[in-house]
Amino acid sequence: MKLALGCDHGGFELMQEVKAHLDELGIEYEDFGTYSTESCNYPVFAKAAAEAVASGKCDRGIVICGTGIGISISANKIHGIRCALCSDCFSAEMTRRHNDANMLAMGGRVVGPGLALKIVDAFLNAEFDGGRHETRVKMMMDLENNQ
Ligand code: RB5
């Protein structure tokens, strides 16, 4: 599995923790920036990471800003993206199982690194349940496809 990563200055420090964790797990990723704590604009990095997932270049993505809100809203503007903002492990697991989320967003000013890495694990280890959820995910994607 290859992950697309993106963050702004508010998520930069937590992203370094996430990258170290992925390195330990031997999970491949492409880091689309930002690459420092210098103030920047989260839609730029949301777009780059989300397009890598939408195009199939990467399998899933993780994006982080201060709250996780701006970068998740931005990622969800890219067709084909289902980006879930999670601050707990249950939501991270269930958004894979029920929503087939292909991107995880977190807030670097919301969750500490210990919890964040557990959230990452929950997101990466869960698979889509399919079945009745397949219909709902298709209906969800029709909302953007039919616009
Ligand atoms: C940047 O200060 C902050 O607004 C951003 O990281 C994010 O929280 C926006 O949703």
Side-chain angles (χ1 to χ4, degrees):
M1 183 191 331
K2 185 173 179 183
L3 300 178
L5 307 182
C7 68
D8 75 352
H9 54 288
F12 177 78
E13 283 176 10
L14 181 56
M15 186 58 89
Q16 306 320 299
E17 305 271 356
V18 169
K19 282 166 64 176
H21 185 59
L22 297 176
D23 288 339
E24 272 178 28
L25 295 174
I27 295 176
E28 196 185 351
Y29 57 80
E30 184 164 349
D31 183 359
F32 292 91
T34 189
Y35 304 113
S36 77
T37 54
E38 190 180 332
S39 183
C40 62
N41 301 315
Y42 54 78
V44 171
F45 308 100
K47 179 177 187 285
E51 284 181 345
V53 175
S55 70
K57 185 179 181 194
C58 293
D59 304 294
R60 291 187 212 165
I62 300 175
V63 286
I64 309 175
C65 67
T67 59
I69 297 171
I71 207 159
S72 59
I73 292 173
S74 302
N76 278 313
K77 299 293 181 190
I78 303 299
H79 275 243
I81 293 303
R82 294 177 298 282
C83 181
L85 171 57
C86 297
S87 301
D88 66 90
C89 297
F90 179 73
S91 299
E93 176 187 340
M94 296 312 287
T95 198
R96 282 289 308 126
R97 292 180 54 189
H98 287 192
N99 314 125
D100 198 17
N102 49 15
M103 295 187 76
L104 167 70
M106 296 186 292
R109 297 169 183 156
V110 179
V111 291
L115 175 57
L117 300 187
K118 295 285 186 199
I119 291 170
V120 167
D121 289 345
F123 181 77
L124 295 181
N125 291 332
E127 291 301 331
F128 183 43
D129 281 353
R132 67 187 187 280
H133 303 293
E134 194 104 50
T135 308
R136 295 164 187 167
V137 170
K138 185 183 176 309
M139 288 173 70
M140 180 163 50
M141 300 320 288
D142 282 348
L143 294 175
E144 72 177 19
N145 292 331
N146 294 339
Q147 268 182 13

